[in-house]
Amino acid sequence: MWIEPEEVLLAGALWVSERANPFFILQRRRGHGRGGGLSGLLVGTLDVVLDSSARVAPYRILLQTADSQIYWNIACGSSRKEITEHWDWLESNLLQTISIFDNDEDVITFVKGKISGIIAEENRLKQSEDQEEDSGKFREAELKMRKLFGMPEEEKLVNYYSCSYWKGRVPRQGWLYLSINHLCFYSFLLGKEVTLVVPWTEVTRLEKNATLVFPESVRVSTRDAEHFFSMFLNINDTFKLMEQLANIAMRQLLDNEAFAADRSLPKACKTLKNVSALKRDFDARAKNEWYRSMFRLTQDERLDGHTDCTLWTPFAKMHVVGQLFISNNYICFSSREEDLCQLIIPLREVTIVEKADSSSVLPCPVSISTKNKMNFLFANLKDRDFLVQRISDFLQRTPDSCWGDTNPLSLIGSSGSSGVPPSSSTGPDSVHKGRHYHPGLPTAKQSLLQLYHQDGPEDLGPKAMKERMKEEAWNIHFSEFGRGVCMYRTSRTRELVLNGIPECLRGELWLLFSGAQNELASHPGYYGDLVEQTMGLCSLATEEIERDLHRSMPEHRAFQNEMGIAALRRVLTAYAHRNPNIGYCQAMNIVTSVLLLYGTEEEAFWLLVALCERMLPDYYNTRVVGALVDQGVFEDLTRAFLPQLYEHMQDLGVITTISLSWFLTLFLSVMPFDSAVLLVDCFFYEGIKVIFQVALAVLHDNMDALLACSDEGEAMTILGRYLDNVVNRQTVAPPTPHLHAMLTSGDDPPPEIDVFDLIKASYERFGSLRSDVIEQMRFKQRLKVIQSLEDTAKRSVVRAMMTESAFSIEELEELYCLFKSKHMTSCYWGSSSSAAERHDPSLPYLEQYRIDPVQFSQLFSALSPWVCGSHTPTLSARLFRLLDQNQDGLVNFKEFSTGLSGMYHGDMTEKLKLLYKLHLPPALSAEEAESALEATHFFTEDEPQESSFLSDLDSVRQQEVTSGENPKDGGEDGEEKKEVKDYRYYLRMWAKENEPKRETIKDLPRINQEQFIELCKTLYNMFSEEPSEQELYHAIATVASLLLRIGEVGKKFGNGAKKSEPQAPPPAQRGEEGPGEGTSAEAQMCRALADAQLEPPAPQTSDEEAKDDTSVSSYSVVSSGSLQCEDIADDTVLVSGEHRRGSTLDADWSITFEQVLASLLTEPALVEYFERKVDIQVKIAACKAQRAVERQISSASDHELGQHSS
């Protein structure tokens, strides 16, 4: 490429001149290409270690003048071809012009100006194509990565780092490249080259550690190996990026969500050296995730910026130091000191933003007022004007803003006009008739508890007085700290939550602390519309919901009637429709029923959204991955806090058994309801750390009893009875019987445990747990869990295929890995079908991953034992069509391995059957043989007894077979039908219908002349790489001649049979339906046969053009062999008398599979070829090494390639 001219003082150092003229010199870097000796090795090592640009651009062109000692570098290239194009352009466009200049200064000025003009034009064109501008240094590194590792342009580099890779005990200094889908390392030291490529989807463990052997290193583990990297300049930054990339890969494995760059990121003020747009994207993603997690905001919220400031807190009468965060819909504040103060201000609530007067006490203040008449004063703001302008911009875009086009900086508050809370609006639709969900429903306005408690007598007991005191404490808190979304959240708020939220405020505060209130306010009418869309729809999710509705808290009277059940049905069905990736999972019904007790239907729906999508990520998907991840985190926490107990419980296998139900239902299914709901209070405020704390406290309280246990059942009983007796002595609700407690209570009940004491103890003993530490542990476990699920899927597939395939367990595992790898590669490097079509997690493991024809062709070429040279893609396409049962253009692993198994482990008959089917529809397409379908239709219509014996691989036709055989079965059992049939008879009939029909060689349809030619063509191509090639060609020539005669004889008998059967429709009538087309096609085929003696028709000769001399001579052998048959009949297709017989002659020619098999058995060479066993392990090993071979080819010098091509 052309580069801005730069001075070069020593033109000969480390470079070799290859071409020169009076003004320009073309040079090659020492050590690039062949030879180079010791100096070449040293230069190559320096280039790698010092990240020299010469490593990626080993060619350059210098500008020189006769009198000057200074050279100018004007172009560089990664290949000889690229640099030669530049050289030719210079010679043809500039050399003549500058040769007439008198002054060297003029020459240099002219050339520099010309090159700068070319670069400016290229940049202008690139700028219109590429929105993001990476630095030149980074683009160079990305080019180097693709060149070294053979990556396509779709593979984007995120960042690269200098580090050491430990190969054995020796560190190799080189460069680590982190791309979207791969971790790559390259080192070249004194002739020793190290190349490593690890797909992120294969990483099972990623951790940062420091040992004596590997000081401050990163360990990357896969199923087969461990890799250590050290000597990073900034190991934390590198490891953080690795975590993000591994997380994206796990997400891809989990739900096929590939990486998509964030196009809405603001452009950088200036292009940073060595920092890509993707790296900025990842940094922004990390900040966004942290921001959303801290303030419980929705997934579409993007942090715009943050700045240090102080916030005036009226309740403490002081300025609190912290950070102000601004995003597209919120202004948030968090104090520097943890739990001192946190604040969330939705922009929809803001009425006034104004700059207050600065003073020495209060520099650069900004005042923000809200609709509920709260005022917030921020001070010590850097660049206050810019901040206010950004807030103003976001306010203009806020849909619920009440100021229209006026400037929010000059607003004078009329906040009283909009005092109606948004949650009270139920949408404009006031017509209730015909709607499943409308404001007239009791559960649309009130929670279930309010509906059931409103008629009860007023309780004046001590528990009721305690409840009222709690309510009063919260009311005082609201008056001091504010109420609603904009409330100041402090350590006092946490104390009140830990003491228990009063029942009348529980729904409101759950909405507030979970962030569901924001979604409820910004999506009015959304839930009602979802209910209307989903009611009456039937799906797998709705069936599971109906099955579990009456198991949801059946002990609570709110769910002992249709009103509560109907509300639960609507919420669960609406959520399953909103998020089909989750749909419905067991345990969701228990959690949702509790949400409905304390909130309206719409509130319960948004609380469920917050739980499933933010607070408990991946908990309720099909494989409960999130719960399994947290189960692993809990094991790690037990090991850290209770090491002695951990070892004992690992031996018993208890932790994995108990913890899943604890986490999935937030203790609601294992603890009395009145106690468990207090844990839910803490969970909505603190997050998952509370559940971990309480789980650890439960184990700690039962440590002595658990250490004395000898088996798993005893430990489960101890923990079950303990949790059954965790009571809430302050509850005012009528006692709710706990079914689990009834089942596990013994003669001597254990002492009761106060839930408040349990929560307090959990904070005292395990309160040091931090959310960021838990997230770090979650990442580590997520890798482990998802990869173990993938291993389970692989084992399930192999187990299922063992009965249907002749491959060994090891071979099936290897094939599955290759198949899945091909699917995953196509997901991120593009394919003809979308990723969602090719991967459906709801399907059985055997059918989850599917590949399209392009990927199938690549695997077939690498693994097939039938090597057909240039004919291989054609054969691959036919096999794909044969295996694609449902004709959706995709093949799953079961179909793929079944087809491959027939090639490798079938006997001669099975292999020939498969080969025969590849030349019949649907494998043989209409384009390959125009008259094949017409001929097949002709024969199957003429011989109805054969119409039902079609290939069992064609699912559509198999249904026809089944339906066609039912009358026969009915006829045989006619006497039985007169009797009353019991269920066993119908079970037998059902089993008989579903029993796979064994296909015999007689079931295969006849093959016509064009299909026979295609079969011969395939056989000729199969033998091109065999040692006994000539012998095989002679054998197939003899067999082909024999089959031609057999077909001719059969045609005569067939015609005679037709004449003697008056009931059969006359062939002439069928032939008249398309005489012109049939005649021309048949005549063309017959002429080709006569001219070439079994050579395929003219349109398909492109495959032969690329054949070598051996193949050509083989064809001549076949042709001569076919002509040496004795006594060829006058009316055979080999002589030119076919014009006398017309199309009827050729349409009548056909042979059966039995005849093909019998003819092939007469030739020992062919029998030996098809009965020979081939080891697939060799092919698998070659397929695995293919990636490395591609890398070597792509990273080899183009210098040698250029020499060969020239």
Side-chain angles (χ1 to χ4, degrees):
M1 61 181 177
W2 301 108
I3 59 175
E4 286 290 346
E6 54 185 21
E7 287 187 12
V8 177
L9 294 176
L10 296 173
L14 309 181
W15 293 84
V16 179
S17 296
E18 294 202 337
R19 292 190 191 180
N21 60 41
F23 296 99
F24 302 106
I25 304 174
L26 190 155
Q27 294 186 325
R28 174 176 55 83
R29 186 76 164 178
R30 288 185 188 275
H32 183 78
R34 289 179 179 171
L38 183 58
S39 63
L41 290 178
L42 289 171
V43 173
T45 302
L46 283 172
D47 287 344
V48 170
V49 174
L50 301 178
D51 191 28
S52 167
S53 59
R55 183 67 201 170
V56 69
Y59 298 96
R60 71 180 183 182
I61 296 175
L62 300 180
L63 168 65
Q64 66 167 357
T65 56
D67 300 330
S68 176
Q69 295 300 315
I70 296 176
Y71 298 80
W72 296 86
N73 190 4
I74 59 172
C76 65
S78 59
S79 66
R80 174 172 289 281
K81 181 183 175 184
E82 181 186 2
I83 205 69
T84 304
E85 286 176 0
H86 289 350
W87 179 265
D88 293 341
W89 187 90
L90 288 170
E91 285 193 327
S92 58
N93 291 282
L94 287 189
L95 200 57
Q96 261 190 330
T97 306
I98 61 177
S99 63
I100 61 174
F101 282 30
D102 296 329
N103 190 350
D104 290 345
E105 292 287 334
D106 294 342
V107 171
I108 292 172
T109 306
F110 177 78
V111 174
K112 286 169 68 176
K114 194 72 177 174
I115 299 300
S116 297
I118 294 171
I119 293 169
E121 181 63 19
E122 285 179 350
N123 287 342
R124 188 183 65 78
L125 294 172
K126 279 183 184 176
Q127 200 166 8
S128 61
E129 296 172 5
D130 303 331
Q131 296 297 321
E132 298 288 352
E133 291 184 4
D134 291 334
S135 69
K137 185 77 172 171
F138 187 85
R139 283 201 299 269
E140 195 177 273
E142 187 167 43
L143 183 62
K144 185 191 297 186
M145 179 201 75
R146 290 183 189 148
K147 181 179 170 61
L148 288 172
F149 306 106
M151 301 287 182
E153 285 193 11
E154 292 85 357
E155 186 68 5
K156 302 295 184 186
L157 178 64
V158 182
N159 213 351
Y160 63 105
Y161 303 91
S162 171
C163 69
S164 291
Y165 170 56
W166 292 78
K167 195 169 176 64
R169 295 189 177 184
V170 181
R172 300 295 179 92
Q173 185 66 27
W175 290 88
L176 180 71
Y177 298 89
L178 303 182
S179 69
I180 295 292
N181 303 297
H182 297 88
L183 176 150
C184 308
F185 178 84
Y186 181 79
S187 172
F188 181 86
L189 291 173
L190 300 177
K192 297 282 187 180
E193 190 175 39
V194 177
T195 306
L196 175 71
V197 177
V198 179
W200 289 114
T201 49
E202 293 181 11
V203 174
T204 58
R205 193 173 182 182
L206 185 65
E207 59 184 355
K208 183 175 61 176
N209 51 20
T211 62
L212 290 173
V213 183
F214 303 112
E216 201 175 32
S217 61
V218 173
R219 178 167 69 173
V220 180
S221 304
T222 63
R223 289 178 179 84
D224 307 319
E226 287 189 342
H227 308 285
F228 289 89
F229 302 91
S230 64
M231 305 285 288
F232 291 96
L233 290 175
N234 188 345
I235 192 170
N236 292 326
D237 181 55
T238 310
F239 186 72
K240 188 170 146 191
L241 181 57
M242 284 180 165
E243 282 186 328
Q244 287 179 285
L245 291 165
N247 256 328
I248 288 172
M250 293 307 106
R251 178 60 54 190
Q252 195 175 344
L253 285 174
L254 188 59
D255 52 19
N256 224 49
E257 236 181 58
F259 172 78
D262 189 352
R263 299 293 178 193
S264 62
L265 277 179
K267 280 199 173 185
C269 302
K270 60 178 182 178
T271 304
L272 301 172
K273 187 181 178 183
N274 300 351
V275 176
S276 67
L278 276 178
K279 180 64 169 67
R280 290 199 304 113
D281 185 335
F282 276 92
D283 291 343
R285 282 169 188 255
K287 286 181 182 176
N288 286 334
E289 286 173 13
W290 174 86
Y291 171 66
R292 290 193 295 257
S293 172
M294 171 174 266
F295 297 105
R296 305 274 170 82
L297 303 177
T298 55
Q299 296 297 325
D300 57 350
E301 203 62 27
R302 285 179 171 80
L303 180 64
D304 187 69
H306 57 91
T307 183
D308 293 333
C309 70
T310 59
L311 170 66
W312 172 253
T313 51
F315 54 89
K317 303 292 189 292
M318 61 182 286
H319 292 279
V320 175
V321 179
Q323 279 193 317
L324 182 70
F325 301 87
I326 297 175
S327 58
N328 40 338
N329 293 300
Y330 297 91
I331 299 171
C332 302
F333 174 84
S334 179
S335 61
R336 188 175 295 171
E337 186 181 337
E338 196 176 1
D339 287 337
L340 190 58
C341 182
Q342 197 182 71
L343 183 65
I344 300 170
I345 308 172
L347 292 180
R348 65 177 184 273
E349 297 288 326
V350 174
T351 55
I352 300 173
V353 179
E354 59 182 352
K355 292 182 278 189
D357 295 333
S358 291
S359 66
S360 58
V361 180
L362 204 64
C364 301
V366 170
S367 173
I368 299 176
S369 301
T370 62
K371 293 177 183 177
N372 58 357
K373 299 182 179 178
M374 291 185 73
N375 190 44
F376 305 97
L377 187 63
F378 299 94
N380 291 285
L381 288 161
K382 298 175 183 175
D383 205 353
R384 177 176 64 162
D385 294 342
F386 177 75
L387 177 75
V388 170
Q389 185 57 48
R390 289 302 291 162
I391 296 174
S392 173
D393 292 343
F394 285 126
L395 283 170
Q396 295 283 2
R397 301 174 204 164
T398 305
D400 292 340
S401 57
C402 57
W403 42 78
D405 297 327
T406 59
N407 187 352
L409 304 182
S410 58
L411 280 176
I412 298 174
S414 56
S415 58
S417 62
S418 56
V420 182
S423 59
S424 64
S425 65
T426 53
D429 190 0
S430 58
V431 181
H432 299 173
K433 290 183 180 179
R435 287 183 68 89
H436 297 93
Y437 176 80
H438 53 79
L441 284 173
T443 50
K445 294 179 179 177
Q446 291 180 295
S447 66
L448 289 174
L449 276 185
Q450 287 174 326
L451 289 171
Y452 282 97
H453 287 176
Q454 60 188 4
D455 300 329
E458 187 177 2
D459 190 357
L460 299 174
K463 290 184 178 179
M465 296 305 294
K466 181 85 172 175
E467 186 77 1
R468 288 183 184 176
M469 287 172 65
K470 285 185 185 177
E471 290 176 28
E472 189 59 33
W474 274 99
N475 287 329
I476 294 169
H477 185 271
F478 291 147
S479 64
E480 283 187 41
F481 298 87
R483 186 167 189 168
V485 189
C486 301
M487 178 176 73
Y488 292 98
R489 304 173 195 206
T490 66
S491 54
R492 173 66 182 150
T493 315
R494 174 195 275 180
E495 289 174 17
L496 288 174
V497 171
L498 295 185
N499 288 329
I501 298 175
E503 285 197 351
C504 62
L505 296 174
R506 188 163 272 144
E508 176 190 342
L509 292 174
W510 282 1
L511 282 168
L512 177 65
F513 297 143
S514 65
Q517 178 67 50
N518 294 317
E519 287 177 297
L520 177 67
S522 54
H523 295 84
Y526 176 84
Y527 170 70
D529 293 341
L530 265 185
V531 172
E532 298 309 315
Q533 293 170 25
T534 54
M535 294 311 287
L537 294 179
C538 285
S539 65
L540 181 62
T542 56
E543 290 176 13
E544 292 175 343
I545 288 169
E546 288 298 326
R547 191 175 61 234
D548 285 353
L549 282 175
H550 295 277
R551 305 178 192 170
S552 309
M553 294 189 68
E555 67 275 13
H556 200 289
R557 60 176 187 155
F559 297 98
Q560 292 169 356
N561 58 68
E562 187 52 35
M563 183 170 67
I565 294 294
L568 183 59
R569 178 187 292 114
R570 284 191 290 270
V571 173
L572 289 173
T573 309
Y575 185 77
H577 188 67
R578 167 191 164 89
N579 192 343
N581 288 335
I582 291 178
Y584 171 76
C585 172
Q586 283 189 337
M588 283 173 70
N589 58 323
I590 296 171
V591 174
T592 309
S593 57
V594 174
L595 301 178
L596 278 167
L597 289 175
Y598 295 102
T600 64
E601 274 186 51
E602 193 172 11
E603 291 170 349
F605 170 79
W606 287 114
L607 280 168
L608 184 62
V609 169
L611 269 176
C612 295
E613 296 174 16
R614 294 198 302 276
M615 301 190 73
L616 297 175
D618 299 324
Y619 258 58
Y620 299 109
N621 58 20
T622 50
R623 296 189 277 183
V624 293
V625 171
L628 293 173
V629 167
D630 280 351
Q631 181 177 282
V633 172
F634 181 55
E635 287 188 32
D636 286 350
L637 291 172
T638 309
R639 185 194 294 119
F641 287 101
L642 308 168
Q644 187 181 358
L645 181 62
Y646 170 78
E647 290 178 8
H648 182 66
M649 293 190 74
Q650 279 295 98
D651 296 338
L652 298 179
V654 176
I655 295 181
T656 53
T657 311
I658 58 171
S659 54
L660 200 59
S661 60
W662 293 4
F663 294 126
L664 272 173
T665 63
L666 304 174
F667 285 97
L668 287 165
S669 64
V670 295
M671 199 181 280
F673 169 73
D674 297 323
S675 304
V677 80
L678 290 173
L679 298 183
V680 179
D681 291 344
C682 300
F683 167 75
F684 276 120
Y685 187 79
E686 293 271 31
I688 194 65
K689 63 172 269 186
V690 174
I691 305 301
F692 284 123
Q693 287 177 190
V694 172
L696 288 169
V698 170
L699 292 184
H700 184 274
D701 284 357
N702 293 276
M703 186 185 297
D704 295 336
L706 290 171
L707 286 172
C709 287
S710 57
D711 59 42
E712 179 187 356
E714 189 180 352
M716 294 284 292
T717 304
I718 289 169
L719 291 170
R721 295 188 69 182
Y722 175 88
L723 290 169
D724 290 338
N725 287 276
V726 176
V727 297
N728 178 6
R729 296 192 177 96
Q730 298 179 12
T731 182
V732 292
T736 303
H738 184 44
L739 294 182
H740 190 260
M742 296 176 186
L743 296 172
T744 58
S745 58
D747 300 329
D748 183 21
E752 292 183 342
I753 301 96
D754 192 325
V755 67
F756 291 101
D757 293 340
L758 178 62
I759 293 172
K760 184 180 178 183
S762 75
Y763 272 90
E764 287 175 352
R765 293 194 186 103
F766 310 107
S768 59
L769 270 181
R770 293 173 56 86
S771 298
D772 55 346
V773 175
I774 289 173
E775 282 305 314
Q776 184 66 39
M777 296 171 79
R778 273 179 165 177
F779 164 74
K780 180 181 168 184
Q781 289 297 328
R782 194 176 293 116
L783 287 179
K784 183 178 171 184
V785 166
I786 293 178
Q787 294 292 14
S788 67
L789 287 172
E790 291 295 312
D791 290 341
T792 303
K794 181 171 74 174
R795 286 194 295 271
S796 301
V797 168
V798 170
R799 246 193 330 267
M801 287 304 300
M802 282 301 292
T803 55
E804 302 187 30
S805 168
F807 289 121
S808 66
I809 294 177
E810 293 76 14
E811 289 169 347
L812 280 172
E813 286 183 348
E814 297 280 8
L815 285 173
Y816 178 78
C817 290
L818 288 172
F819 187 89
K820 179 182 155 190
S821 172
K822 186 60 67 178
H823 166 86
M824 298 304 297
T825 304
S826 65
C827 284
Y828 49 73
W829 283 350
S831 178
S832 57
S833 54
S834 71
E837 288 174 352
R838 291 190 317 267
H839 180 251
D840 185 356
S842 63
L843 290 173
Y845 287 131
L846 267 173
E847 302 170 20
Q848 277 191 14
Y849 293 113
R850 295 177 287 175
I851 56 176
D852 61 21
V854 177
Q855 302 149 19
F856 181 85
S857 177
Q858 292 166 355
L859 282 177
F860 180 85
S861 302
L863 297 172
S864 170
W866 296 344
V867 181
C868 298
S870 58
H871 192 63
T872 303
T874 307
L875 201 63
S876 167
R878 289 177 189 167
L879 181 59
F880 183 88
R881 286 191 290 269
L882 186 68
L883 296 175
D884 185 13
Q885 295 183 20
N886 54 3
Q887 299 179 353
D888 62 349
L890 298 169
V891 164
N892 61 40
F893 180 70
K894 180 180 180 181
E895 296 162 342
F896 170 76
S897 58
T898 304
L900 213 55
S901 178
M903 292 183 187
Y904 275 96
H905 296 289
D907 56 18
M908 181 178 176
T909 306
E910 291 296 322
K911 290 178 182 176
L912 288 174
K913 266 174 67 177
L914 178 59
L915 198 60
Y916 186 84
K917 286 179 187 178
L918 291 179
H919 299 85
L920 289 170
L924 192 74
S925 65
E927 292 80 10
E928 293 175 312
E930 292 178 5
S931 63
L933 289 174
E934 290 179 17
T936 306
H937 178 66
F938 177 85
F939 288 119
T940 52
E941 201 172 40
D942 192 41
E943 302 173 20
Q945 72 273 16
E946 291 189 2
S947 63
S948 60
F949 298 113
L950 299 178
S951 170
D952 62 334
L953 292 172
D954 191 348
S955 61
V956 178
R957 299 189 180 187
Q958 190 177 13
Q959 291 172 5
E960 293 174 8
V961 173
T962 307
S963 61
E965 288 181 356
N966 281 342
K968 296 179 185 177
D969 296 340
E972 291 170 7
D973 299 330
E975 297 179 3
E976 291 183 26
K977 282 193 174 180
K978 296 175 185 176
E979 304 171 7
V980 178
K981 305 292 188 300
D982 64 358
Y983 71 94
R984 285 173 296 185
Y985 167 77
Y986 291 107
L987 283 175
R988 283 197 301 273
M989 291 295 294
W990 177 78
K992 189 175 180 182
E993 286 178 8
N994 287 285
E995 187 178 313
K997 295 172 179 55
R998 182 83 177 168
E999 186 184 56
T1000 65
I1001 58 175
K1002 292 183 179 180
D1003 298 339
L1004 294 168
R1006 303 173 74 90
I1007 193 170
N1008 71 9
Q1009 201 171 66
E1010 290 197 23
Q1011 294 161 355
F1012 173 67
I1013 292 169
E1014 289 295 328
L1015 176 61
C1016 290
K1017 180 180 175 183
T1018 301
L1019 287 169
Y1020 299 150
N1021 281 279
M1022 284 174 70
F1023 307 139
S1024 60
E1025 296 183 11
E1026 289 296 314
S1028 55
E1029 180 184 358
Q1030 295 300 323
E1031 187 181 353
L1032 285 165
Y1033 278 125
H1034 280 293
I1036 199 61
T1038 308
V1039 168
S1041 301
L1042 178 60
L1043 286 170
L1044 278 170
R1045 292 203 302 273
I1046 290 172
E1048 289 300 321
V1049 174
K1051 180 181 68 177
K1052 290 179 181 178
F1053 279 106
N1055 286 339
K1058 285 175 196 168
K1059 289 173 185 175
S1060 65
E1061 292 176 5
Q1063 71 273 18
Q1069 293 178 6
R1070 287 191 293 271
E1072 287 169 3
E1073 293 175 6
E1077 183 181 348
T1079 304
S1080 62
E1082 294 299 334
Q1084 181 184 359
M1085 184 270 295
C1086 291
R1087 279 196 300 273
L1089 279 172
D1091 294 338
Q1093 292 85 26
L1094 288 177
E1095 194 168 326
Q1100 295 178 357
T1101 55
S1102 59
D1103 287 338
E1104 282 75 41
E1105 291 173 5
K1107 285 200 166 290
D1108 55 12
D1109 297 337
T1110 310
S1111 300
V1112 174
S1113 65
S1114 303
Y1115 269 92
S1116 63
V1117 170
V1118 173
S1119 302
S1120 61
S1122 60
L1123 287 172
Q1124 288 168 6
C1125 336
E1126 59 272 19
D1127 303 329
I1128 298 178
D1130 292 335
D1131 54 355
T1132 60
V1133 293
L1134 288 178
V1135 297
S1136 56
E1138 73 278 16
H1139 299 290
R1140 293 176 291 138
R1141 309 296 295 265
S1143 62
T1144 310
L1145 174 87
D1146 298 321
D1148 288 342
W1149 190 97
S1150 68
I1151 53 175
T1152 65
F1153 174 72
E1154 292 167 287
Q1155 292 166 340
V1156 173
L1157 177 61
S1159 302
L1160 285 166
L1161 286 171
T1162 61
E1163 294 293 330
L1166 291 173
V1167 173
E1168 182 190 354
Y1169 175 82
F1170 281 106
E1171 286 190 341
R1172 186 174 56 205
K1173 297 293 181 185
V1174 184
D1175 186 10
I1176 195 174
Q1177 287 290 358
V1178 178
K1179 295 274 187 180
I1180 290 173
C1183 193
K1184 281 181 174 179
Q1186 188 177 2
R1187 183 74 240 165
V1189 170
E1190 288 172 3
R1191 285 199 299 273
Q1192 288 169 13
I1193 291 172
S1194 63
S1195 60
S1197 169
D1198 293 299
H1199 175 57
E1200 297 84 1
L1201 299 178
Q1203 286 180 337
H1204 289 305
S1205 61
S1206 58

